[in-house]
Amino acid sequence: MKKAAAYLFSLIVILTLMLPAFLVRSCQAPQQQESSAISVKLYDTQAHALYRLTLEDYLVGVVAAEMPANFHLEALKAQAVAARTFTVKRLKCFGGKGSKYHPNADLSCDPGEGQAWLGEKELRTKWGMRYGTNLARIRQAVTETASLLLTYEGKPIEAIYHSTCGGVTEAAVEVWGKDYPYLRSVVCGADGHSPKYRQTYRFTIQEAAAKLKVKAFQGKAITASTQGSGILKMVGQSNTGRAQQIIFAGKKITAEQFRTALGLNSPRIRYNVSGKNLVITTIGYGHGVGLCQYGCDGWAQKGYSFSRILQHYYPGTTLVKIANQIP
Ligand SMILES: [Zn+2]
C-alpha cells in the first residue's frame, strides 16, 4: 500500500513538472510560426462571447482602443510592438495564466485586466465617417511591425504602458514593489500635449473624508485640530513625486487606494489645504510605468522612429522577430 502511494505521488510530481512543457508543445511548434499564425482567445466582456483571432488581427483592435488613431504613425507602430509583446506573455499556450473571465480565454477586452480592445461595431461607432481611414492607419502600424517583439536577455518583456507619465516615467519597483531592469524611471518630456497632463480637483474635507471612509469626519464638524495642512501627508515619495502611501486624518492608505476613492487620474499629486477645502492637482494619467503613449507621440513628432522610442521607454531591450523568439 505504501509502495502504491509512493508510486502515485511520484507520478503526480512528474506530471506536474512535465505539464508546462507539454502545454507549450501543444501550441504547434511556434518557432516555425509567423505571428499571423498564432491565435488569441479573447473574451468580450460586453458581448459575453469568446473569440478566436489571429494575433495580428487582435492587435488592430488593441491599438485602435489604446491610442488615438491620429497619433503619428511611428507612435502607433511603437504601441503595436508593445501590445504584441504584452499579449504574447499572456497567451496560455506560452505559459500565460489566462483571463479571469473565462477558463479558455487568454485575455479579455477589460482594460483593468491588461489592455483594451474594440471590435468593428464599437470602432464604427467611435470613428463614424473616419472608420475606413483610421482603420487603414492602425492596420499599417500593425503590419509594418508584424512579428516584432521586445525582449530582454532573450525573453519577451513585460511591456507595460500607460497614457501620460507627466514628464518622467515611474520605476515598476515604486508602483508594484517588483523590479524590472527595463522598467526604470526615464525622462519623457514629450507628453505635454496630453489633455490629462495636469488636472485639478476640489473637495471639501468632509467630501474627501466620506469618499475615503474616514469615519471620524462623517457627519461631524471639523475641529481646529483636524484642519490645516496636517490633515494630509504623503509617505515614501519616489523621485517623481509619487507617494507610496497617504495619510488622511490619521488613516493610512496606499496611493492607489487614495486615487481610486477620489476618482483621480494619477497617484502623483500636489495638494493644498485651505480652511475646509482640499485642492488636489494630479500629474499624468495612469500608473506611469513603461511606455508613455502621449510621450511616444511627442517623440514621433520630433522625428524618432518606433524602435528608438521603444529603446527610450524600455532601456536595454532588443527587438526580435517572434519566429526566432518563442521557445
Ligand atoms: Zn510621458
Side-chain angles (χ1 to χ4, degrees):
M1 194 64 193
K2 264 189 182 171
K3 256 190 178 175
Y7 175 74
L8 188 63
F9 177 75
S10 307
L11 191 66
I12 290 169
V13 169
I14 289 167
L15 282 175
T16 307
L17 290 173
M18 286 179 67
L19 193 60
F22 175 76
L23 286 175
V24 169
R25 282 199 195 101
S26 70
C27 264
Q28 303 174 26
Q31 66 270 35
Q32 272 133 45
Q33 295 180 56
E34 289 303 317
S35 57
S36 57
I38 295 173
S39 66
V40 174
K41 287 180 188 154
L42 171 73
Y43 187 72
D44 185 336
T45 50
Q46 301 292 316
H48 304 288
L50 185 68
Y51 309 135
R52 189 187 180 104
L53 304 167
T54 69
L55 173 59
E56 301 300 304
D57 278 346
Y58 165 70
L59 290 173
V60 171
V62 174
V63 177
E66 286 285 355
M67 205 174 240
N70 64 356
F71 268 21
H72 195 287
L73 185 63
E74 292 302 306
L76 294 170
K77 285 161 72 174
Q79 173 68 77
V81 175
R84 185 179 296 105
T85 310
F86 184 93
T87 302
V88 163
K89 287 281 280 186
R90 279 151 186 82
L91 295 182
K92 289 172 83 169
C93 69
F94 298 151
K97 67 177 183 179
S99 167
K100 67 179 179 187
Y101 290 102
H102 192 286
N104 296 330
D106 296 302
L107 295 127
S108 74
C109 59
D110 172 10
E113 198 179 48
Q115 54 191 4
W117 176 89
L118 293 173
E120 182 185 341
K121 192 176 151 203
E122 294 89 359
L123 289 175
R124 284 190 183 278
T125 307
K126 179 181 174 180
W127 287 335
M129 296 289 283
R130 293 197 59 78
Y131 175 79
T133 316
N134 287 351
L135 189 65
R137 267 178 74 73
I138 305 284
R139 273 204 185 285
Q140 186 183 352
V142 173
T143 307
E144 289 185 6
T145 60
S147 299
L148 287 177
L149 282 186
L150 274 171
T151 62
Y152 185 82
E153 294 184 343
K155 291 179 183 157
I157 68 163
E158 283 291 352
I160 305 291
Y161 54 89
H162 64 278
S163 166
T164 307
C165 72
V168 54
T169 70
E170 199 67 63
V173 69
E174 297 283 357
V175 180
W176 298 300
K178 189 171 177 186
D179 200 11
Y180 296 86
Y182 50 84
L183 293 177
R184 301 203 176 282
S185 176
V186 300
V187 172
C188 169
D191 56 353
H193 61 309
S194 168
K196 292 180 174 170
Y197 188 92
R198 187 176 279 110
Q199 190 93 31
T200 300
Y201 303 80
R202 293 169 205 283
F203 306 94
T204 66
I205 288 173
Q206 292 283 5
E207 281 169 353
K211 287 175 189 290
L212 293 163
K213 297 188 168 43
V214 178
K215 287 183 185 151
F217 285 89
Q218 288 171 4
K220 291 183 184 174
I222 298 166
T223 64
S225 63
T226 56
Q227 287 187 38
S229 59
I231 198 162
L232 201 156
K233 283 183 187 134
M234 293 164 74
V235 183
Q237 268 180 277
S238 71
N239 293 339
T240 67
R242 183 188 192 284
Q244 284 183 338
Q245 292 183 312
I246 286 175
I247 302 173
F248 182 86
K251 180 177 180 176
K252 192 188 269 188
I253 53 174
T254 67
E256 192 53 34
Q257 287 169 332
F258 184 80
R259 184 191 74 76
T260 307
L262 295 184
L264 309 176
N265 279 348
S266 147
R268 263 180 76 194
I269 62 165
R270 292 171 192 159
Y271 65 92
N272 183 36
V273 179
S274 174
K276 293 181 178 180
N277 297 308
L278 171 64
V279 180
I280 295 175
T281 301
T282 53
I283 311 294
Y285 184 42
H287 49 62
V289 180
L291 180 139
C292 164
Q293 291 166 317
Y294 272 87
C296 193
D297 183 49
W299 285 113
Q301 287 179 30
K302 290 178 190 179
Y304 277 55
S305 67
F306 78 95
S307 53
R308 200 168 166 201
I309 293 167
L310 290 168
Q311 280 299 310
H312 180 76
Y313 288 107
Y314 304 112
T317 58
T318 309
L319 267 177
V320 299
K321 283 269 184 187
I322 199 168
N324 301 328
Q325 183 50 39
I326 304 298

